[in-house]
Amino acid sequence: MKDSRLVMGMPITVEIVDRQALPSDIDDIFDYFHYVDELFSTYKEDSEISRLNRGELSLGSASRDVQIIFALAEQTKQATQGYFDIWHGDHYDPSGLVKGWAIFKANQLLAQKGFRNFRVDAGGDMHLSGANSHGVEWRIGIRNPLHPDQIVKVVKLKNCGIATSGTYLRGQHIYDPHQRQKELSDIVSLTVIGPNVYEADRFATAAFAMGGEGISFIEHLSGFEGYQIDGHGRATLTSGFNNYVSHQ
Amino acid sequence: MKKLALSFSVIIVFTFYTLLYQKNGAANAVTIAPPASLALATPATPVATTASSPPSPPPPPANKPTKAATPTPTPAQNKSANTTPSSNTTPSAPATAPTPPSNNSPYRDGTFTGASADAYYGNVKVAATIQNGRLTDVQFLDHPGGRATSDYINSQAMPYLIQEAIQAQSANIDGVSGATDTSLAFVQSLSSALTQAKK
């Protein structure tokens, strides 16, 4: 059973392979994403995050999930040398963390319902549990940021998360500070595979912000693999990434 | 006696040299890919790495994430200090004075700055230029790469990384991972700019 809907401004897909799945199980997951959107949307005037930013709500009296996200944000900021920060100069915007966290929580909800084989995908970041409809590892394509209708890699995943940070915009020129005239490649996409989608998403976001150094940050992160694409169509892989790649 | 001491020291030095040489030789054999500085210089040639790389990756070095400690400003810090949460709904004023309508287009002429739209890791902000009632130009005023000039690729050797040219694949898949965020933010910012241009 599979359904896709537009929530939080992005397509969300819930796919449950187990036969006992009911439409109401899928509805519960979309209800959960709507609940998260009500709390954290910076586009909604009455969301808790908007009220926090206007000073109408203090963190101490915010709901538990909001407090959890703020704690996770602080932890993530420290784990990424400040590259991940929900403080945007004059307001908080935790949406970069909320997305991966919400997918991970949705995943846990399905596991609590007793399902074993399912996939929750929000805007291209997803968590893969158990096996796909053919009874084998989930086969996930990595989109070509230079030609979004193509995929450039297929990875086989089971009980882990995958997330991609990137941009389809060109003109992200990076120059070598030691040789000003020499332009280095611009990074357009960074895909991270990790133990779960929350971890993969937050480190993909932070590492993408590091530019060319992001992929070596992922390399040094135990339990994570990465696939980086630059504006010239060159990919840089971490040492263990090929263990996930499907060659058929 | 002097001769004996000399010959002993020669033997000891030779033994040390042999041991050291073997150790270095072994260490060299584990290095599987060229250092990044070399790899970056070579254009997109696929490197045959699958065959030469060990089945399980070597454990990451002990000096873990501290490596990338170069303090560059985060996109979060230097992006849109003037962007308030309300700017997502309250568009900023037109950059140039709109001219009176000259035709039956729904838009006034002028340049209109869209609201900054969140792309999750950074903001996207565009300016739309309308001439003779038609959209003639879209400029990016802010996007997640805006901070890039202060960034650089560390030329320090990264012997574990592998490089290859990307290649389109055709295969059965269950899902696709890719960045859709920025394109969505682009649509949001542009539609906000066009709303302002509405007569």
Side-chain angles (χ1 to χ4, degrees):
Chain A
M1 187 167 291
K2 180 176 170 182
D3 197 5
S4 295
R5 297 177 202 171
L6 210 62
V7 192
M8 293 159 72
M10 63 189 154
I12 294 183
T13 299
V14 179
E15 180 177 358
I16 309 175
V17 176
D18 303 83
R19 293 219 178 119
Q20 74 270 31
L22 299 169
S24 62
D25 293 316
I26 301 237
D27 287 340
D28 288 348
I29 299 306
F30 284 110
D31 286 349
Y32 177 72
F33 278 108
H34 280 295
Y35 156 77
V36 170
D37 196 32
E38 291 297 322
L39 275 187
F40 292 104
S41 175
T42 52
Y43 297 96
K44 291 188 196 301
E45 289 275 309
D46 53 349
S47 69
E48 285 201 18
I49 191 70
S50 294
R51 289 167 56 210
L52 268 164
N53 278 326
R54 288 195 304 266
E56 297 166 12
L57 180 71
S58 74
L59 193 54
S61 37
S63 64
R64 190 168 159 268
D65 283 337
V66 171
Q67 293 180 2
I68 288 172
I69 283 294
F70 272 74
L72 291 173
E74 186 53 36
Q75 193 271 332
T76 303
K77 186 180 174 182
Q78 286 170 17
T80 60
Q81 295 117 39
Y83 276 96
F84 195 108
D85 199 343
I86 63 167
W87 175 246
H88 289 194
D90 58 355
H91 70 287
Y92 290 103
D93 184 356
S95 41
L97 203 63
V98 167
K99 185 186 181 187
W101 176 80
I103 304 170
F104 181 59
K105 297 289 279 185
N107 186 72
Q108 286 188 320
L109 283 177
L110 288 169
Q112 280 161 18
K113 283 171 174 281
F115 298 117
R116 292 274 175 277
N117 307 291
F118 49 87
R119 174 173 81 93
V120 183
D121 174 341
D125 298 341
M126 62 195 101
H127 194 96
L128 298 316
S129 294
N132 69 6
S133 55
H134 302 287
V136 295
E137 290 161 310
W138 294 93
R139 296 172 57 81
I140 305 303
I142 294 177
R143 178 175 286 133
N144 184 348
L146 307 172
H147 300 279
D149 54 330
Q150 290 179 356
I151 54 165
V152 294
K153 216 70 180 171
V154 179
V155 288
K156 296 188 289 184
L157 303 174
K158 183 179 190 171
N159 300 326
C160 62
I162 183 168
T164 300
S165 256
T167 171
Y168 294 120
L169 306 176
R170 298 301 311 274
Q172 190 177 342
H173 302 294
I174 304 174
Y175 293 90
D176 185 338
H178 306 295
Q179 303 172 65
R180 285 278 163 204
Q181 59 281 59
K182 186 182 161 203
E183 185 186 330
L184 296 176
S185 291
D186 44 351
I187 309 306
V188 289
S189 160
L190 176 60
T191 300
V192 172
I193 299 172
N196 64 56
V197 64
Y198 165 72
E199 297 288 356
D201 188 34
R202 66 181 185 143
F203 284 120
T205 306
F208 185 75
M210 295 177 193
E213 283 194 28
I215 191 72
S216 60
F217 176 82
I218 299 299
E219 173 69 26
H220 290 174
L221 219 51
S222 175
F224 293 81
E225 299 298 341
Y227 190 85
Q228 172 190 278
I229 301 172
D230 72 16
H232 300 286
R234 280 178 301 193
T236 308
L237 296 67
T238 56
S239 55
F241 188 86
N242 272 324
N243 296 334
Y244 290 107
V245 172
S246 165
H247 296 287
Q248 47 175 311
Chain B
M1 194 62 196
K2 238 185 185 176
K3 257 186 188 172
L4 195 70
L6 190 70
S7 48
F8 261 113
S9 56
V10 167
I11 288 168
I12 288 165
V13 166
F14 181 74
T15 314
F16 266 106
Y17 175 77
T18 315
L19 285 173
L20 202 69
Y21 183 80
Q22 280 174 349
K23 208 177 163 193
N24 279 348
N28 284 341
V30 204
T31 316
I32 54 161
S37 50
L38 190 70
L40 284 170
T42 29
T45 38
V47 189
T49 44
T50 336
S52 61
S53 61
S56 59
N63 56 343
K64 287 194 84 180
T66 45
K67 185 197 138 282
T70 2
T72 38
T74 71
Q77 278 166 355
N78 74 352
K79 83 173 173 200
S80 61
N82 54 351
T83 309
T84 57
S86 58
S87 75
N88 288 322
T89 46
T90 323
S92 29
T96 57
T99 55
S102 55
N103 49 36
N104 56 4
S105 156
Y107 302 125
R108 293 171 292 154
D109 284 2
T111 299
F112 302 88
T113 306
S116 195
D118 197 328
Y120 288 101
Y121 45 79
N123 283 357
V124 167
K125 190 175 183 179
V126 301
T129 303
I130 314 277
Q131 268 176 14
N132 300 322
R134 290 178 57 198
L135 178 65
T136 55
D137 189 27
V138 177
Q139 277 192 311
F140 288 95
L141 304 179
D142 186 14
H143 63 79
R147 121 218 96 87
T149 41
S150 64
D151 211 340
Y152 67 98
I153 293 181
N154 197 329
S155 58
Q156 186 179 327
M158 291 184 283
Y160 308 104
L161 299 178
I162 302 158
Q163 286 210 321
E164 63 181 29
I166 58 170
Q167 267 185 321
Q169 312 276 312
S170 58
N172 291 327
I173 47 167
D174 298 304
V176 177
S177 185
T180 50
D181 301 341
T182 303
S183 50
L184 185 70
F186 167 76
V187 172
Q188 284 168 349
S189 188
L190 181 61
S191 71
S192 132
L194 291 179
T195 305
Q196 291 172 70
K198 280 251 166 72
K199 284 171 188 170

